[in-house]
Amino acid sequence: MNRVRFTAAAALGACLLAANVAQGAGYQVSQESISGAGVAHAGGAAAAADASTVYANPAGMILIEERQFVGGGHLLPPALFGDSIHFINQGSVTSAGAAVTGGDGGDGGVGAFIPNLYAVWPLQNGMRLGVGLNAPYGLATDWEEGWVGRYNELGASVATVNLNPSAAYRVNKHWSVGAGVNVMYSRARLAQAVDFGSALGGTSQSNDGSSAFSGSATAFGFNLGFLYELNANTRFGAQYRSGMNFNYYGDADFSVSATARAGLNGAGQPRAFTDGKMRADLPIPDTASISVYHDVPDSKWAFMADLTWTRWEVFDRLVFIADEPTTTTNVVLTFWDNKFRVSGGATYDYTPKLQLRGGLAFDDSPIKTLYRGAGVPDSDRIIVAAGAGYALRDNLTIDFAYQHYFFKDGTIINRVSTGTRLIGEFETQGDWLSLGVTWKF
């Protein structure tokens, strides 16, 4: 009967651990610019191709000579070439060693649309003001009910929106600086099945229920940027974005059969798995980028590169605190690693109106195999990108980009609170389609 002690917080802890599905490493979205998407976001802190530099490096606004608006979005279809996320079961077992029943969950991937809005205003004193609105973090998964990994996750979503007002100042002909503040709002929903058969000392998988958590939070941070122009053709950029922390507060909802409720009462746990309020924390990591941009003289080519570091070590655990009537605290260890993303790209001015773009990136996953959850196909990936910009008029450009993500198969050996162990591999792939406009006014 001691297994009953894993109450609401413990059940949902495994679910949030299982929920990190995004096209950037961890739960990063990494789609902050349409023009940047075409070069795999290479040179982001130095390119300053348009007003999206508000997010990539606010110091880059110095290179924008007119008022400018950039708007558009990135579409992640559920799948273009087969399942987005496909699970291969390799012997998942209960705490007693019996095989876990259920299917493969279908396609666990969920489509998404990520908007970007930016604007920059030059001032007479040489300063620049800018503002950005985007969604830099998020995730979504949706598995079929009754699948073999239902005790890890049934579905999850985390959505964010970030407001980033910024300013830039030219120090001299070589150096420019920029800074901004970030106000990020997030909503999260997480759901999983609960094996009350095992929890109450009976037959495993004989009495399933479910648990779900939904909550919201607001976090605050800042970003700093520097731009060094070596000459008219070559420049270097660097940016730092501070970490934040979402303190979610919301509702915990449970589905408990009459048999399971009677068992909980008999075990002296009448308040376990009772609807109520719950708190959960999710950190947003610090990031730092260095970039270079080089416009080849007397040619139509420009080349760029970027190295971005993410401090994922801040995500070493999840803490769930349930309020009345179920007053428990549960800690789920994650121990993610700090990681780098490296990218390179190029642009080619095919005509005065048409610019072609391409890029390649290598992005390491921060997740160790031991801590990969049912919704964490996140693994090391290679990103191939292509794009174009076409000037419809002197002051109006349309941008397009396509990215394909080649993921390494993600091994999982995750164990949930009842002792059930999900064993297998995730085959994952992703595609982004991006479209936007740049308007100079």
Side-chain angles (χ1 to χ4, degrees):
M1 290 299 180
N2 287 337
R3 288 180 180 169
V4 175
R5 302 299 299 184
F6 88 98
T7 54
L12 289 168
C15 185
L16 185 53
L17 177 61
N20 301 313
V21 178
Q23 296 305 305
Y27 38 87
Q28 286 178 323
V29 175
S30 297
Q31 295 293 354
E32 64 272 4
S33 165
I34 290 86
S35 59
V39 294
H41 302 288
D50 52 45
S52 62
T53 192
V54 167
Y55 186 85
N57 181 359
M61 292 189 291
I62 288 296
L63 300 181
I64 298 176
E65 299 296 338
E66 62 284 302
R67 291 178 296 177
Q68 190 178 112
F69 169 82
V70 171
H74 311 265
L75 177 65
L76 173 67
L80 289 180
F81 309 103
D83 290 347
S84 299
I85 309 170
H86 177 69
F87 177 69
I88 301 174
N89 186 24
Q90 296 177 339
S92 302
V93 294
T94 68
S95 59
V100 180
T101 61
D104 64 6
D107 187 352
V110 177
F113 177 75
I114 307 298
N116 296 152
L117 296 172
Y118 302 98
V120 171
W121 294 268
L123 302 182
Q124 291 183 353
N125 60 5
M127 291 187 64
R128 303 288 190 271
L129 296 180
V131 64
L133 190 68
N134 61 1
Y137 292 87
L139 56 92
T141 56
D142 186 20
W143 299 96
E144 294 175 354
E145 290 190 12
W147 82 292
V148 69
R150 61 192 178 276
Y151 303 126
N152 293 74
E153 181 192 358
L154 287 173
S157 66
V158 173
T160 64
V161 58
N162 184 59
L163 179 65
N164 187 189
S166 303
Y169 175 72
R170 180 179 287 280
V171 179
N172 55 44
K173 69 176 184 178
H174 292 295
W175 286 98
S176 301
V177 297
V181 296
N182 294 268
V183 182
M184 195 180 302
Y185 173 79
S186 176
R187 289 193 60 83
R189 177 170 173 77
L190 317 163
Q192 68 178 132
V194 180
D195 184 3
F196 285 112
S198 292
L200 296 169
T203 303
S204 175
Q205 308 176 79
S206 65
N207 194 356
D208 282 1
S210 65
S211 61
F213 168 75
S214 58
S216 60
T218 301
F220 302 90
F222 66 91
N223 57 306
L224 301 172
F226 302 89
L227 187 70
Y228 177 74
E229 298 172 72
L230 179 65
N231 51 48
N233 299 308
T234 305
R235 54 186 178 266
F236 302 88
Q239 176 176 241
Y240 168 78
R241 303 191 72 86
S242 72
M244 308 182 198
N245 196 58
F246 285 124
N247 304 117
Y248 293 108
Y249 184 71
D251 298 314
D253 302 304
F254 302 95
S255 174
V256 184
S257 68
T259 301
R261 179 57 63 191
L264 292 169
N265 293 339
Q269 295 289 315
R271 293 188 175 186
F273 298 95
T274 303
D275 293 353
K277 296 293 183 180
M278 182 173 286
R279 305 174 188 273
D281 294 341
L282 183 67
I284 298 297
D286 309 58
T287 63
S289 300
I290 55 173
S291 303
V292 60
Y293 176 93
H294 178 65
D295 195 347
V296 180
D298 301 319
S299 82
K300 299 180 179 182
W301 288 95
F303 296 92
M304 58 221 69
D306 177 87
L307 181 66
T308 295
W309 170 82
T310 303
R311 190 188 173 203
W312 283 117
E313 67 180 6
V314 298
F315 189 45
D316 63 347
R317 67 194 61 208
L318 292 163
V319 179
F320 287 81
I321 302 175
D323 291 347
E324 292 287 351
T326 304
T327 55
T328 59
T329 297
N330 187 65
V331 177
V332 179
L333 300 178
T334 52
F335 295 122
W336 284 17
D337 291 329
N338 298 334
K339 289 296 180 178
F340 287 93
R341 182 189 71 186
V342 59
S343 56
T347 63
Y348 179 74
D349 295 329
Y350 187 75
T351 70
K353 289 181 174 290
L354 177 62
Q355 183 183 79
L356 304 179
R357 303 165 182 149
L360 185 68
F362 300 89
D363 200 2
D364 286 341
S365 171
I367 303 173
K368 301 181 180 73
T369 296
L370 183 62
Y371 299 105
R372 182 173 286 114
V376 190
D378 182 71
S379 56
D380 297 348
R381 76 214 66 196
I382 297 174
I383 305 165
V384 178
Y390 184 77
L392 299 174
R393 298 198 300 266
D394 289 343
N395 67 338
L396 185 64
T397 300
I398 185 169
D399 294 292
F400 168 80
Y402 167 73
Q403 292 184 341
H404 182 76
Y405 286 63
F406 297 91
F407 285 85
K408 180 180 178 181
D409 290 349
T411 302
I412 179 172
I413 53 173
N414 188 257
R415 180 180 183 273
V416 295
S417 302
T418 54
T420 299
R421 188 179 295 275
L422 186 64
I423 303 172
E425 283 189 346
F426 289 100
E427 295 179 345
T428 307
Q429 62 176 326
D431 299 277
W432 284 104
L433 301 172
S434 306
L435 184 65
V437 296
T438 299
W439 176 39
K440 302 173 184 178
F441 61 99

